[in-house]
Amino acid sequence: MKMQANNNKKHFTLIDILAVITVLFSIGYVVAYYGSLPEEIPTHFHATGEPNSWGGKQLLIGLLILHIFVFKMMFFMNLFIRKSDQALKFLNIPTVNPKKLSDDQKVVVQRLSSQMMSIINLIVAILFFTIIYGMIHVGLGKQDGLGATTLICTIILIIIPIIYMFKIIKAAKVEQQSDKHMS
């Protein structure tokens, strides 16, 4: 029996669409401002968001290419998670053994894993955009550093997997505990 994460043909979620829009907005932003940028723009920032290295504005194109590449890789990994009955073989969460999960648990774990990937992809897209935005605006002299959004996105990127790990562990334990009580 083939297991699918959603029991329907839904490939995209609102979060995925927002991530695509964010990537497209990043591309549009670079295209709109590239010609007005000085030859040197900030290319690296301290943890506080202040620029500490400057380089050619063509590095912005490289960052944009990396942004698109990372988005596509995460998006296609998520499609694999959603659609493949083999995806759970790659689950690496302590105390959760995919071989011991019921079919219902597998569906829930696969759905939660896909949700987590979608959210992470969106936050990474926003993070890339905030860096691109900061590089452009610092280069144009409109602001002094990256601002708080970059730090907030980084913190969220740390918290989201932890939250989903606990959700997945809880989903895996619920049925295992009920199985123990029945035996």
Side-chain angles (χ1 to χ4, degrees), residues 70-83 87 117:
V70 169
F71 169 79
K72 287 172 69 175
M73 291 300 294
M74 291 181 68
F75 182 82
F76 287 115
M77 283 190 309
N78 197 9
L79 279 180
F80 173 73
I81 290 169
R82 287 182 188 156
K83 296 297 167 187
M117 283 296 293

Side-chain angles (χ1 to χ4, degrees), residues 29-30 33-34 37 41-43 56-66 131-133 135-136:
Y29 210 76
V30 170
Y33 282 96
Y34 192 81
L37 287 171
I41 62 170
T43 57
K57 68 180 183 179
Q58 65 276 10
L59 290 173
L60 195 58
I61 302 298
L63 182 61
L64 190 60
I65 290 168
L66 179 63
I131 293 168
I132 289 168
Y133 178 91
M135 289 173 70
I136 290 171

Side-chain angles (χ1 to χ4, degrees), residues 6-134:
N6 291 324
N7 294 333
N8 62 32
K9 299 295 180 186
K10 186 169 143 182
H11 295 283
F12 306 104
T13 66
L14 177 60
I15 295 171
D16 296 322
I17 294 167
L18 290 173
V20 169
I21 290 169
T22 304
V23 172
L24 293 174
F25 198 71
S26 296
I27 294 167
Y29 210 76
V30 170
V31 168
Y33 282 96
Y34 192 81
S36 61
L37 287 171
E39 285 305 311
E40 283 203 342
I41 62 170
T43 57
H44 192 269
F45 297 84
H46 286 288
T48 61
E50 300 298 318
N52 64 355
S53 180
W54 295 71
K57 68 180 183 179
Q58 65 276 10
L59 290 173
L60 195 58
I61 302 298
L63 182 61
L64 190 60
I65 290 168
L66 179 63
H67 179 18
I68 294 165
F69 176 76
V70 169
F71 169 79
K72 287 172 69 175
M73 291 300 294
M74 291 181 68
F75 182 82
F76 287 115
M77 283 190 309
N78 197 9
L79 279 180
F80 173 73
I81 290 169
R82 287 182 188 156
K83 296 297 167 187
S84 175
D85 57 344
Q86 302 298 310
L88 290 179
K89 286 183 180 180
F90 301 100
L91 183 67
N92 188 13
I93 296 178
T95 72
V96 177
N97 183 349
K99 294 176 184 177
K100 294 183 178 180
L101 298 175
S102 70
D103 287 343
D104 289 341
Q105 286 175 304
K106 288 177 182 177
V107 170
V108 171
V109 168
Q110 205 165 357
R111 180 180 48 80
L112 289 170
S113 298
S114 177
Q115 285 175 359
M116 178 182 69
M117 283 296 293
S118 291
I119 293 169
I120 290 172
N121 204 10
L122 174 61
I123 301 301
V124 168
I126 293 169
L127 180 61
F128 267 102
F129 175 74
T130 62
I131 293 168
I132 289 168
Y133 178 91

